[in-house]
């Protein structure tokens, strides 16, 4: 039975999941754009960020703004460490070495988390002011939903403006297009690359918090599939394209939620499979993704 | 202004440039000639610091810069306009120009220089918001030059700027290069087509398989039978 109310409700859920994918895809697409690296380590930041907030916000009782600020900083620092100790030495070598390293880093973090926080999922209880229910004629939502949508839009806007307008942002795009020539311009390429890791990781850690607050549960392995799906969003949107990554995130989130909402219930367990089916269909129709860079450049 | 001493650069174990020494005097145009694969680009890249020499030293204004990073060399006033122009095709014309000024910090001066570049290259002004990949070859070369100038260099390295341009555009380009020289910028000009390059250069070096084969005043080189035969097609 189709009803518009149900459709709207599910669309909102899809958009919220889309926000999460889009935020993660941002960090992955800029890193891919520069290093041609599918950064699996990105997923580990989701887990680590979620647990970081769990401990400082719920256990230690820091305020929400302080927690948000700190998790961004913490994620950024992790990104810097990751780039400095794991990736920097490998630049210029075969790309597969980077890929294996990022998988290794992810695996390390996952096992480390399993050891430290236990293999059991943690309940991530949202504070009352994030669980206020709002009922309108068509939609029911909680304050956390508003928080996710608003904070995601703010982050995407800032990121977009940064990349489009700031000197560093222009340098970042230059490095992504041609690292050699960027170096000739006097750009310290390693610093630009570090910065992309810092920004992407900060956002990913924050996204871990959003995920926990929205779905109420966090676990040591939460980052893997989410990270992989975020990369699917990158590819669907068009690898290397920042608007594409955001669009890909929303397409994926909506498709994932709406397909389980409207397909017979026995398909619900295939939700992850559905994501990859979307990937295959999009790539068959548009090999460079929805907003693929190749198309963008054409005269 | 620039002194290269006993430069050897290798790709892996294969040397591309062997024991090259050359000097560029302040205010001059010096040209580095040679056939395809002679080692011209390699030499410029070593001067810029994107390639590390196996042997040899590079001095700029008397300072040994051999171990400095490219970004520090840009700050010291060296700019390379690369072979094939090296335009950022996905960026706008203006973003390309701004990247030329990446190492500078004064916003006001950068904006002022940007306007000057637009006066010098009116066609770039018309296309400032356009994606650079859509420019014609000649326009791209102008953009590459303009981007190089945005660094406010004192020494400009130009790698085959006339490559692939129509003769009329080449003449326009060379007029510009002279204009840049007249504004006090020293130029090391790499070309394959010796005829035009010797026309504006004060001094010339000829590379062959990574070695300096000949060097001297352009006027003198032009009249040498060997140069005439091999490089001037006469
Ligand atoms: N990236 C590279 N790797 C290996 N060999 C190279 C590379 N670039 C140039 N070479 C070789 O070095 C020699 C000099 O090249 P280059 O400096 O580009 O010459 P030119 O600019 O005079 O045409 C050539 O034999 C060329 O094949
Ligand atoms: Mg060359």
């Amino acid at each position: 039975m189709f009803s518009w109310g149900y459709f709207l409700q599910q669309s909102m859920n899809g958009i919220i999941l889309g926000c999460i994918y889009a935020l993660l895809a941002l960090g992955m697409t800029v890193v891919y754009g520069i290093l041609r690296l599918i950064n699996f380590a990105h997923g580990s930041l989701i887990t680590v960020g979620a647990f970081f907030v769990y401990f400082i916000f719920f256990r230690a009782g820091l305020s929400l703004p302080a927690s948000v600020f700190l998790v961004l900083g913490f994620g950024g620092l992790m990104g810097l460490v990751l780039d400095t100790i794991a990736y920097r030495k490998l630049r210029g070598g075969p790309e597969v070495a980077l890929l294996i390293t990022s998988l290794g880093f992810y695996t390390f973090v996952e096992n480390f988390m399993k050891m430290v926080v236990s293999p059991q999922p943690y309940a991530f209880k949202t504070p009352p002011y994030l669980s206020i229910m709002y009922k309108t004629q068509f939609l029911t939502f909680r304050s956390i939903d508003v928080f996710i949508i608003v904070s995601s839009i703010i982050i995407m806007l800032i990121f977009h403006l940064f990349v489009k307008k700031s000197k560093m942002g222009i340098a970042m795009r230059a490095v992504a297009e041609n690292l050699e020539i960027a170096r000739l311009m006097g750009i310290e390429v390693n610093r630009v690359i570090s910065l992309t890791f810092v920004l992407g990781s900060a956002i990913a850690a924050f996204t871990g918090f959003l995920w926990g607050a929205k779905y109420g549960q966090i676990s040591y392995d939460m980052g893997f599939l989410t990270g992989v799906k975020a990369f699917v969003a990158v590819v669907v949107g068009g690898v290397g394209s920042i608007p594409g990554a955001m669009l890909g995130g929303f397409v994926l989130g909506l498709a994932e939620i709406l397909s389980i909402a409207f397909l017979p219930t026995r398909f619900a367990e295939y939700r992850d499979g559905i994501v990859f089916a979307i990937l295959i269909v999009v790539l068959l129709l548009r090999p460079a993704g929805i907003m693929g860079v190749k198309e963008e450049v054409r005269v | 202004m620039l002194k290269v001493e006993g430069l050897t650069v290798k790709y892996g174990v294969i040397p591309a440039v062997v024991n090259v020494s050359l000097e560029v005097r302040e205010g001059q145009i010096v040209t580095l000639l040679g056939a395809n694969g002679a080692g011209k680009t390699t030499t410029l890249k070593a001067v810029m610091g994107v390639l590390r020499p196996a042997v040899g030293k590079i001095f700029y204004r008397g300072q040994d810069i051999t171990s400095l990073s490219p970004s520090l060399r840009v700050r010291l006033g060296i700019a390379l306009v690369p072979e094939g122009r090296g335009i950022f095709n996905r960026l706008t014309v203006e973003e390309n120009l701004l990247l030329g000024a990446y190492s500078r910090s004064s916003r006001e001066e950068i904006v002022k220089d940007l306007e000057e570049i637009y006066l010098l290259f009116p066609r770039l002004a018309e296309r400032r918001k356009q994606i650079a990949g859509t420019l014609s070859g000649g326009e791209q070369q102008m953009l590459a030059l303009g981007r190089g100038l945005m660094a406010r260099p004192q020494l400009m390295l130009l790698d085959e700027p006339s490559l692939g341009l129509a003769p009329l555009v080449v003449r326009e380009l060379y007029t510009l290069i002279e204009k840049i020289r007249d504004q006090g910028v020293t130029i090391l000009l790499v070309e394959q087509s010796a005829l035009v390059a010797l026309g504006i250069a004060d001094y010339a070096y000829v590379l062959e398989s990574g070695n300096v084969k000949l060097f001297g005043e352009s006027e003198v080189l032009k009249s040498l039978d060997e140069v005439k035969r091999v490089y001037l097609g006469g």
Side-chain angles (χ1 to χ4, degrees):
Chain A
M1 262 288 291
F2 182 88
S3 93
W4 282 104
Y6 183 64
F7 177 74
L8 259 180
Q9 185 69 47
Q10 294 303 327
S11 298
M12 197 191 77
N13 291 337
I15 284 171
I16 287 169
L17 184 60
C19 282
I20 288 176
Y21 288 153
L23 289 181
L24 292 169
L26 278 184
M28 291 190 102
T29 205
V30 286
V31 164
Y32 188 90
I34 296 176
L35 296 175
R36 299 282 169 270
L37 163 68
I38 302 172
N39 187 22
F40 286 103
H42 205 64
S44 65
L45 266 305
I46 305 168
T47 316
V48 169
F51 278 95
F52 183 80
V53 173
Y54 177 86
F55 285 110
I56 64 163
F57 185 51
F58 295 109
R59 288 287 182 82
L62 263 62
S63 71
L64 181 67
S67 302
V68 168
F69 188 71
L70 282 174
V71 74
L72 285 169
F74 175 74
L77 191 67
M78 286 278 295
L80 184 65
V81 169
L82 170 67
D83 178 49
T84 311
I85 65 166
Y87 292 152
R88 184 166 295 178
K89 290 273 185 298
L90 299 174
R91 291 214 253 286
E95 281 158 13
V96 69
L98 277 176
L99 186 72
I100 299 294
T101 305
S102 82
L103 258 176
F105 186 87
Y106 177 81
T107 311
F108 169 77
V109 171
E110 183 174 307
N111 282 287
F112 180 80
M113 293 304 285
K114 193 175 178 180
M115 220 168 64
V116 174
V117 301
S118 97
Q120 298 302 322
Y122 281 40
F124 200 93
K125 289 197 205 68
T126 21
Y129 61 88
L130 282 180
S131 335
I132 304 166
M133 280 282 223
Y134 300 94
K135 279 202 170 69
T136 66
Q137 197 184 347
F138 298 112
L139 282 177
T140 304
F141 55 92
R142 291 184 300 151
S143 38
I144 179 66
D145 299 329
V146 179
F147 179 77
I148 291 178
I149 293 176
V150 171
S151 61
S152 301
I153 290 174
I154 291 173
I155 290 176
M156 286 184 234
L157 263 180
I158 292 176
F159 196 84
H160 176 79
L161 285 178
F162 169 78
V163 170
K164 269 281 173 227
K165 302 280 180 211
S166 78
K167 183 171 170 179
M168 259 297 175
I170 299 174
M172 205 174 263
R173 284 183 286 139
V175 172
E177 184 173 335
N178 193 332
L179 202 140
E180 281 272 313
I181 304 292
R183 190 167 276 142
L184 289 181
M185 303 294 108
I187 296 172
E188 285 124 337
V189 170
N190 276 336
R191 277 191 26 202
V192 171
I193 295 175
S194 283
L195 185 70
T196 65
F197 277 105
V198 167
L199 292 178
S201 304
I203 297 173
F206 176 71
T207 311
F209 162 50
L210 294 184
W211 179 279
K214 171 67 184 167
Y215 301 112
Q217 184 173 306
I218 59 176
S219 62
Y220 72 96
D221 62 351
M222 63 188 282
F224 188 73
L225 201 54
T226 318
V228 171
K229 285 184 188 169
F231 192 73
V232 171
V234 168
V235 178
V236 165
V239 160
S241 157
I242 288 167
M246 296 191 266
L247 183 67
F250 286 113
V251 166
L252 215 63
L254 275 168
E256 184 175 335
I257 297 290
L258 290 180
S259 59
I260 47 175
F262 287 97
L263 287 173
T265 41
R266 67 190 142 87
F267 286 109
E269 58 189 290
Y270 297 123
R271 69 186 281 179
D272 300 332
I274 289 165
V275 166
F276 293 99
I278 294 164
L279 172 69
I280 293 166
V281 171
V282 169
L283 289 186
L284 284 175
L285 296 176
R286 288 183 72 91
I290 302 173
M291 302 184 74
V293 170
K294 280 192 195 96
E295 270 80 7
E296 242 178 20
V297 177
R298 286 286 141 79
V299 186
Chain B
M1 175 144 215
L2 176 77
K3 217 173 187 174
V4 173
E5 283 183 9
L7 182 76
T8 297
V9 186
K10 297 179 180 174
Y11 293 103
V13 291
I14 305 159
V17 161
V18 181
N19 196 21
V20 163
S21 298
L22 55 87
E23 188 177 351
V24 180
R25 294 249 168 86
E26 184 151 12
Q28 291 197 332
I29 297 179
V30 173
T31 181
L32 183 59
L33 304 168
N36 200 9
K40 307 180 296 294
T41 299
T42 305
T43 306
L44 291 192
K45 283 184 175 173
V47 170
M48 201 61 223
V50 288
L51 286 177
R52 290 286 140 135
V55 188
K57 285 200 179 310
I58 298 158
F59 295 91
Y60 173 71
R61 293 188 175 286
Q63 181 190 353
D64 183 353
I65 59 166
T66 318
S67 59
L68 296 188
S69 69
S71 75
L72 285 175
R73 296 187 204 202
V74 173
R75 270 164 227 276
L76 285 178
I78 310 177
L80 169 58
V81 178
E83 189 175 358
R85 342 218 188 285
I87 291 304
F88 296 106
N89 285 313
R90 293 185 223 148
L91 273 50
T92 65
V93 167
E94 185 147 307
E95 284 168 345
N96 269 279
L97 290 172
L98 288 173
L99 280 167
Y102 183 84
S103 61
R104 298 169 53 195
S105 48
S106 161
R107 256 208 90 73
E108 286 151 49
E109 280 182 23
I110 292 172
V111 170
K112 212 179 93 223
D113 286 3
L114 197 58
E115 291 313 317
E116 254 174 52
I117 296 290
Y118 285 142
L119 281 180
L120 196 60
F121 307 99
R123 285 232 288 289
L124 297 183
E126 292 162 23
R127 289 163 171 68
R128 61 208 290 174
K129 298 291 174 213
Q130 206 168 309
I131 297 294
T134 63
L135 298 182
S136 74
E139 288 163 352
Q140 288 198 6
Q141 188 58 60
M142 299 304 165
L143 178 56
L145 263 187
R147 188 180 63 180
L149 286 171
M150 284 298 291
R152 278 230 184 144
Q154 289 158 327
L155 173 65
M156 254 186 138
L157 317 172
L158 308 179
D159 197 349
E160 300 203 33
S162 68
L163 196 72
L165 299 183
L168 219 69
V169 187
V170 173
R171 200 172 313 156
E172 196 184 335
L173 177 78
Y174 269 66
T175 312
L176 266 165
I177 293 175
E178 285 185 301
K179 209 161 158 185
I180 293 168
R181 190 257 332 261
D182 293 341
Q183 287 176 3
V185 181
T186 308
I187 291 170
L188 177 55
L189 171 67
V190 159
E191 282 288 7
Q192 272 190 54
S193 54
L195 196 56
V196 261
L198 284 175
I200 64 166
D202 301 287
Y203 207 86
Y205 291 84
V206 178
L207 275 184
E208 201 178 283
S209 328
N211 296 283
V212 176
K213 180 87 185 311
L214 284 168
F215 59 95
E217 308 271 336
S218 306
E219 290 305 318
V220 179
L221 246 65
K222 252 192 282 190
S223 59
L224 288 182
D225 283 346
E226 193 180 353
V227 176
K228 275 190 191 155
R229 189 166 39 79
V230 182
Y231 299 101
L232 302 179

